[in-house]
Amino acid sequence: MLIANHTSMLDIMLMLVVSKNPFVFVGKKELVKIPVFGFFYKRVCILVDRDNIKSRTGVYRRAQRRLDQGLSICIFPEGGVPEEHIILDTFKDGAFKMAIAHKIPIVPITFYDNKRRFSFTFLSGGPGKIRAKVHEFFETGILAEEDKSTLREEVREVILKELTDKETS
């Protein structure tokens, strides 16, 4: 389970470069409406309608099929892009619940520069480096569903610490 902070449209492309294993994104259904992007998005994602319980539970079944095919799963657990002043928003439970249910490790990844290069604010950004760090994996094989909140916060803390340490240096 690939987990990263989400600040830019570059996050999707950088994830494709960072991951050595083939993977599929889990993403919100609304994004298929974006011209051109939506056409490709719906072909490479497990789509979820977050307002529909049947859709949310169906993600587990579709994810298992993809895992059985040898693919990894990628989720941006903030559930969207945080407001400009927020370094790292709170994480939603879905990715952690899914990792525990499927007994797959979580791979935290920090994207440092994407917001400065190409944020969601119109006419913002500029040229420069785009860096990422892949952190140590979190094993989930012995965890139960009730451990998801602790796991979620531990993974979030790894990424947040990396982002705040880099901001001050």
Side-chain angles (χ1 to χ4, degrees), residues 5-13 80-87 111-130:
N5 55 309
H6 194 28
T7 60
S8 166
M9 291 294 277
L10 292 175
D11 299 341
I12 293 167
M13 292 174 272
V81 177
E83 295 178 28
E84 196 66 31
H85 66 281
I86 297 174
I87 294 174
F111 294 152
Y112 299 104
D113 311 297
N114 292 356
K115 184 183 268 188
R116 285 190 295 270
R117 300 297 159 248
F118 188 64
S119 77
F120 282 95
T121 305
F122 191 64
L123 294 177
S124 67
K129 289 182 182 180
I130 296 177

Side-chain angles (χ1 to χ4, degrees), residues 141-160:
I142 61 168
L143 300 178
E145 186 177 343
E146 56 267 14
D147 299 317
K148 74 177 181 273
S149 297
T150 303
L151 177 63
R152 179 191 68 220
E153 293 310 311
E154 287 176 356
V155 171
R156 184 179 180 278
E157 186 56 36
V158 165
I159 295 172
L160 181 60

Side-chain angles (χ1 to χ4, degrees), residues 3-128:
I3 300 289
N5 55 309
H6 194 28
T7 60
S8 166
M9 291 294 277
L10 292 175
D11 299 341
I12 293 167
M13 292 174 272
L14 186 54
M15 187 64 77
L16 293 167
V17 173
V18 169
S19 177
K20 303 302 177 222
N21 295 344
F23 65 90
V24 63
F25 288 101
V26 173
K28 54 188 175 186
K29 183 180 132 187
E30 307 89 79
L31 296 181
V32 299
K33 297 174 187 172
I34 299 173
V36 182
F37 174 81
F39 174 81
F40 295 102
Y41 179 78
K42 68 183 173 187
R43 285 163 175 75
V44 297
C45 286
I46 297 172
L47 300 177
V48 61
D49 179 350
R50 295 183 296 184
D51 297 328
N52 182 316
I53 187 80
K54 189 175 178 182
S55 175
R56 289 195 319 259
T57 56
V59 167
Y60 290 90
R61 190 175 13 82
R62 293 190 306 271
Q64 187 60 59
R65 277 200 308 263
R66 298 303 182 101
L67 290 166
D68 292 344
Q69 295 170 347
L71 298 174
S72 295
I73 306 292
C74 176
I75 296 180
F76 297 111
E78 291 167 281
V81 177
E83 295 178 28
E84 196 66 31
H85 66 281
I86 297 174
I87 294 174
L88 186 65
D89 212 343
T90 56
F91 282 4
K92 308 245 184 289
D93 286 338
F96 306 96
K97 185 176 177 182
M98 189 182 306
I100 290 169
H102 295 298
K103 305 280 186 215
I104 56 175
I106 289 182
V107 182
I109 302 169
T110 302
F111 294 152
Y112 299 104
D113 311 297
N114 292 356
K115 184 183 268 188
R116 285 190 295 270
R117 300 297 159 248
F118 188 64
S119 77
F120 282 95
T121 305
F122 191 64
L123 294 177
S124 67

